[in-house]
Amino acid sequence: MPQIQVKLVRSAIDRPERQKRTVQALGLNKMNSTATHEANASILGMVASVKHLLEVTEL
């Protein structure tokens, strides 16, 4: 399965609690932190819900 790397480029401060929890569930804690995930449906759905805060690259 292909993998994606997500990077938090905008802060989750002053965002709805749901978006904060989604960012945390993706394994991103601080600004510019990165995480690598398999590109399955659940991960892609989470990425789509907070795409305005992330930078996504395919590996």
Side-chain angles (χ1 to χ4, degrees), residues 4-48:
I4 59 171
Q5 183 176 17
V6 290
K7 180 178 181 181
L8 186 62
V9 293
R10 297 196 64 199
S11 176
I13 295 175
D14 207 23
R15 301 288 176 185
E17 188 66 29
R18 185 178 182 119
Q19 291 181 8
K20 289 180 184 179
R21 289 185 181 170
T22 302
V23 168
Q24 193 173 23
L26 285 169
L28 305 171
N29 297 321
K30 297 181 178 183
M31 291 287 296
N32 295 316
S33 62
T34 60
T36 304
H37 296 283
E38 288 190 16
N40 57 30
S42 62
I43 295 295
L44 293 177
M46 292 186 345
V47 168

Side-chain angles (χ1 to χ4, degrees), residues 42-57:
S42 62
I43 295 295
L44 293 177
M46 292 186 345
V47 168
S49 67
V50 290
K51 64 184 174 195
H52 55 286
L53 303 176
L54 304 176
E55 180 179 286
V56 182
T57 56

